[in-house]
Amino acid sequence: NTMMNDLPRFTKLVHILGNKFNIPTTEVAQKINTPTAQTYRQLGDDLIVTANNDESNGNELGYQKMIKLIKNGADVNFESYLLTPLGGAIENTRFNIAVIKALLNAGAKVTNKHLEQLNDVSELMHLIYFDEDYIAAQKRKEIVRQLLEEAIAKQQNEKEIQ
C-alpha cells in the first residue's frame, strides 16, 4: 500500500508492469487509478508538453518549469500513447540542447525510435526554416544526434556491466 502513495516507488512499479504487459506507463497508471497514479500521469503529461513546447525551447521560464517538474517527481521516461518527454523535445524542431541534456542527465532512456524521430523531423525542417535559420537548426540537430548516440552507447555499456 505504501508503494501506491510513494511516487518514486510507484514510478518503478508502472515501468515493471508496462514492460511486462507491453503497454505505456500512462495506461498502467490509468488502470491503477489512485491519487498517486493521477499525480504520476499529470506530471508526465505536463513534462511531455513542456519539453515539446516552444516556451521550453525558447525561453528560460519554460526550461525552469521542466526542471521543476522533474524535481517534483515527473518521470523522464513517462510513456504516453505516442511520446516520451525526450520524444517531445525531439519533435520540437528548435532542438534545444539544454532541454535534451536535462532530460538525459535526469535519466531519460534513449531508443532507436528517438533516432528515427529525429530523422522524421529532419525531413520537415526545410519547410519550416529558411537560410541561416535552417543552417542553425541543422547544426543543433546534429548535436542532438550525437547526444542521443552517446546516450545509447552509455546505456549499452551499463547493460553489459550488469
Side-chain angles (χ1 to χ4, degrees), residues 1-101:
N1 193 22
T2 57
M3 185 176 292
M4 293 302 161
N5 298 320
D6 178 344
L7 191 57
R9 290 176 68 198
F10 181 83
T11 298
K12 289 178 184 172
L13 174 67
V14 295
H15 280 280
I16 291 167
L17 293 173
N19 289 337
K20 181 176 177 71
F21 296 106
N22 198 28
I23 58 175
T25 59
T26 190
E27 189 173 334
V28 174
Q30 185 177 10
K31 290 178 186 305
I32 294 173
N33 197 27
T34 62
T36 303
Q38 292 167 1
T39 299
Y40 172 83
R41 290 184 71 213
Q42 187 62 57
L43 286 169
D45 286 338
D46 288 351
L47 187 58
I48 288 175
V49 168
T50 303
N52 181 259
N53 196 316
D54 279 342
E55 278 185 20
S56 65
N57 285 295
N59 82 43
E60 192 63 22
L61 289 176
Y63 174 79
Q64 292 303 325
K65 179 181 178 188
M66 189 186 79
I67 297 301
K68 185 178 179 185
L69 286 166
I70 292 169
K71 284 182 179 174
N72 287 339
D75 178 7
V76 294
N77 292 303
F78 177 81
E79 302 160 341
S80 73
Y81 292 98
L82 299 173
L83 286 175
T84 63
L86 183 59
I90 291 168
E91 289 213 346
N92 184 309
T93 58
R94 293 185 195 283
F95 302 120
N96 186 299
I97 306 304
V99 167
I100 290 170
K101 279 185 176 180

Side-chain angles (χ1 to χ4, degrees), residues 90-124:
I90 291 168
E91 289 213 346
N92 184 309
T93 58
R94 293 185 195 283
F95 302 120
N96 186 299
I97 306 304
V99 167
I100 290 170
K101 279 185 176 180
L103 290 167
L104 292 173
N105 289 338
K109 301 268 187 286
V110 183
T111 65
N112 287 327
K113 182 180 176 189
H114 291 114
L115 290 171
E116 291 168 17
Q117 272 183 291
L118 188 61
N119 290 334
D120 292 345
V121 169
S122 298
E123 293 177 16
L124 301 174

